[in-house]
Amino acid sequence: MKLSEFKFKLPEELIAKYPAPVRDESRLMVMHKKDGSIEHRVFKEILEYFNEDDLFVFNDTRVFPAKLYGNKEKTGAKIEVFMLRELNSEQKLWDVLVEPARKIRIGNKLYFGIDDSMVAEVIDNTTSRGRTLRFLYDGNHDEFKENLFALGNTPLPYYITREPEDDDVERYQCVYAKNEGAVVAPAAGLHFSRELLKRMEIKGVNSGFLTLHSGLGNYREIDVEDLTKHRMDSEQMEVSEELVAQVNSTKDAEHKVCAVGTSTLRGIESTVAMNGHIKPYSGWTNKFIFPPYDFTVCNALVSNFHMPYSVMLMMVAAFGDYDQVMNAYNVAVKEGYRFGAYGDAMLIID
């Protein structure tokens, strides 16, 4: 397929700048794969489509406060640093993006905090905006991370054109988030409240967890028309033996396996073996899913409404049928659904 096939007109006012007041009371569009028919519901009604022994698979990655604001030595120029991932905990090395990049060279020192107490030295260039920073901190690693993250801000997506606020610390994080490492929240999971998870448990609908640390590659602009030539950034992930047993037994019993979010769907599809079962995995994935694609494990998907041309939209279209999904997106625009990480949700189900 071509990049241009994922264009649609999205009015600016439909991009959600704030989440719904209550997590599980956002809107939910339900699309039935067998005929493309659409229902309009409230998210907390999602359990009406699932039965005892069905399985929801969640991504339990935890977003860390990745945005830092500092200043450059001597000139005092204001610098924005986006922390991508820690490279070496002992040496306190971090892979980051800097803005404005043209001012930041190897050997420069950057200062953070009201009293400039956190200092980092630029030791390498990785890309045009990418740098490797070594933080010059004498304390132990736990103390360093605590102080570093205290200076950071919630890394809201680029299309949320406002500064992070105190409420974002909680709301741009799933209630079950556990394993730190993401700079992009698994947005479909943001709709699940503790009350909804409890209702799932009472109904006998099972929960399983994988970890996939979503990175900025999800938002990187695709610069090729031929999608077979696009390369995804690699993301670290882990699928445990416990989840493997849950997914494979649920599939074999012909119950529903529902991926909560495109990151979960990518993680599952990155571990599928020749027999259609998944296997344990710990490592990296750069799997890029776009139509046509044959899914062998999941028969339901929860996802937010994504931006035009995005890799997430492509994955949803691969799962739900391109024509049906693009039609559903046109309906969503007409019906005033909210798009983006803080927007409304869509359930695609057989």
Side-chain angles (χ1 to χ4, degrees):
M1 294 201 80
K2 307 297 183 186
L3 176 65
S4 53
E5 294 178 81
F6 293 92
K7 177 184 180 181
F8 65 93
K9 189 171 177 55
L10 177 60
E12 178 72 24
E13 63 269 19
L14 292 186
I15 300 175
K17 300 297 189 288
Y18 291 91
V22 179
R23 282 183 188 267
D24 58 15
E25 291 185 1
S26 54
R27 296 172 72 187
L28 175 69
M29 177 188 285
V30 181
M31 192 195 89
H32 298 271
K33 283 177 72 172
K34 65 178 181 292
D35 59 6
S37 61
I38 288 171
E39 298 178 74
H40 304 289
R41 307 296 297 268
V42 177
F43 192 83
K44 62 186 176 184
E45 298 169 346
I46 194 170
L47 292 187
E48 294 179 23
Y49 298 88
F50 294 89
N51 300 309
E52 186 175 359
D53 293 328
D54 288 341
L55 174 67
F56 278 84
V57 184
F58 300 92
N59 180 5
D60 66 6
T61 187
R62 187 171 186 81
V63 177
F64 65 90
K67 268 194 170 181
L68 284 176
Y69 296 98
N71 56 84
K72 186 181 169 187
E73 64 174 333
K74 297 177 183 174
T75 66
K78 299 296 181 189
I79 303 297
E80 179 183 305
V81 172
F82 196 108
M83 299 186 292
L84 298 175
R85 61 177 175 264
E86 189 171 40
L87 299 173
N88 185 300
S89 58
E90 193 175 313
Q91 297 183 46
K92 303 179 179 70
L93 299 181
W94 278 77
D95 183 18
V96 307
L97 298 176
V98 295
E99 195 70 46
R102 68 183 184 280
K103 294 185 176 180
I104 306 302
R105 298 183 174 88
I106 293 173
N108 288 159
K109 285 192 172 65
L110 306 179
Y111 294 86
F112 306 95
I114 296 173
D115 56 357
D116 291 343
S117 57
M118 185 70 71
V119 185
E121 182 181 7
V122 181
I123 64 169
D124 197 11
N125 297 333
T126 52
T127 63
S128 59
R129 291 177 56 216
R131 303 289 185 271
T132 302
L133 297 187
R134 177 195 289 123
F135 284 90
L136 310 176
Y137 192 91
D138 290 333
N140 65 47
H141 185 257
D142 289 344
E143 180 188 301
F144 159 68
K145 283 281 280 286
E146 184 179 336
N147 287 331
L148 179 65
F149 285 179
L151 298 172
N153 293 277
T154 304
L156 294 178
Y158 70 93
Y159 51 76
I160 298 181
T161 53
R162 63 172 176 83
E163 288 300 310
E165 299 173 12
D166 290 345
D167 285 351
D168 293 311
V169 174
E170 178 197 355
R171 291 305 304 271
Y172 194 64
Q173 194 85 265
C174 299
V175 297
Y176 49 79
K178 179 182 175 185
N179 296 310
E180 185 180 275
V183 297
V184 175
L190 299 177
H191 301 283
F192 285 83
S193 63
R194 288 183 174 83
E195 293 76 16
L196 182 55
L197 292 173
K198 190 64 182 175
R199 284 176 46 223
M200 281 176 57
E201 187 183 329
I202 292 168
K203 189 170 183 175
V205 177
N206 298 317
S207 299
F209 299 88
L210 58 74
T211 303
L212 191 147
H213 296 314
S214 304
L216 287 183
N218 292 280
Y219 296 142
R220 186 157 59 84
E221 191 173 316
I222 297 177
D223 54 10
V224 289
E225 174 69 0
D226 180 357
L227 296 181
T228 61
K229 292 182 167 58
H230 177 65
R231 295 291 174 264
M232 284 286 291
D233 292 354
S234 291
E235 296 174 327
Q236 195 169 11
M237 61 168 286
E238 182 157 355
V239 172
S240 67
E241 291 188 8
E242 180 185 0
L243 179 67
V244 167
Q246 282 182 291
V247 169
N248 291 341
S249 61
T250 302
K251 182 178 185 295
D252 290 345
E254 299 185 349
H255 292 293
K256 292 190 188 77
V257 178
C258 179
V260 179
T262 53
S263 64
T264 301
L265 189 61
R266 271 186 76 215
I268 290 172
E269 288 299 318
S270 297
T271 66
V272 176
M274 294 295 287
N275 62 1
H277 283 178
I278 67 169
K279 56 186 186 296
Y281 180 73
S282 181
W284 298 78
T285 181
N286 63 352
K287 193 171 187 67
F288 176 38
I289 297 174
F290 59 94
Y293 186 91
D294 183 24
F295 293 88
T296 56
V297 178
C298 296
N299 41 28
L301 170 68
V302 184
S303 190
N304 280 30
F305 289 97
H306 302 291
M307 299 296 117
Y309 303 118
S310 66
V311 295
M312 288 86 81
L313 170 58
M314 293 167 190
M315 204 180 317
V316 173
F319 186 84
D321 178 81
Y322 170 81
D323 291 328
Q324 290 184 165
V325 167
M326 296 310 287
N327 173 64
Y329 267 57
N330 287 330
V331 172
V333 170
K334 287 176 187 168
E335 295 289 331
Y337 277 77
R338 303 187 331 140
F339 282 66
Y342 275 159
D344 295 315
M346 181 181 192
L347 169 65
I348 301 175
I349 197 163
D350 284 342

